[in-house]
Amino acid sequence: MFVSLELITITFYLLTSFQRARLLSLEAGVKYLILGALSTAFTVFGIALIFGTAGTTSFAVLPALAKNFSDQPLFVLGLLMLLAGLGFKIAAFPFQIWAPDVYQGAPTPTTAFLAIGSKAAASCCCCGLFRGGAGRGDHWNKLLILISGITILYGNLCAIPQRNLKRLLGYSSISHAGYLLLGVPP
């Protein structure tokens, strides 16, 4: 999961800063690279904590073991860090800061691809992790519903005053990330 998600993200870094003559494109690429590296760190540390606690990261085995580790703080912290890393890739609320600026600076085909590709890959990972049962429990469902609701509100309310079409697409993409997250809780 991690390798495939990062291979997609690396191509997005390159595509975002593809137009080297445009300063806005380079700025968007650097911003996306720095914040993406931070999100990757959260994802790696989350995976490491989950593996250190449960002894596996298999989506097939983890749901059965999650019942035993749901009260251990390192396992919960690992799931939270993994959710934060995936939340960045999806552009869910509090991790959505990068989306409007990167969408505005990226070339137009890249903006369209970025609006779809990163969300599709990360939402599949979220569904595999949380619908599979690793984040089982009423508190995880409430957290995901709260994040998705705030993401929908933030994206829609910030899109209202926009005059730049790419920034509008960025905020619309944020709100669509919230709609994607609504389908994650079982």
Side-chain angles (χ1 to χ4, degrees), residues 2-44:
F2 174 74
V3 172
S4 62
L5 194 61
E6 288 308 308
L7 283 175
I8 291 171
T9 306
I10 288 170
T11 60
F12 287 146
Y13 299 150
L14 295 174
L15 287 172
T16 301
S17 58
F18 186 71
Q19 294 176 336
R20 296 181 187 193
R22 287 185 53 224
L23 187 61
L24 199 58
S25 179
L26 290 175
E27 179 185 341
V30 168
K31 182 181 283 190
Y32 190 37
L33 176 67
I34 291 170
L35 292 174
L38 182 66
S39 115
T40 299
F42 273 102
T43 305
V44 167

Side-chain angles (χ1 to χ4, degrees), residues 9 12-13 16 27-36 39 84-106 110-111 114-119 154 167 170-171 173-174 177:
T9 306
F12 287 146
Y13 299 150
T16 301
E27 179 185 341
V30 168
K31 182 181 283 190
Y32 190 37
L33 176 67
I34 291 170
L35 292 174
S39 115
L86 293 174
F88 172 85
K89 305 286 188 213
I90 295 175
F93 181 77
F95 312 106
Q96 84 295 350
I97 297 296
W98 62 272
D101 295 336
V102 170
Y103 282 31
Q104 183 180 8
T110 302
T111 301
L114 192 60
I116 299 166
S118 64
K119 287 175 189 34
Y154 178 85
R167 287 188 76 82
Y171 284 116
S173 177
I174 291 169

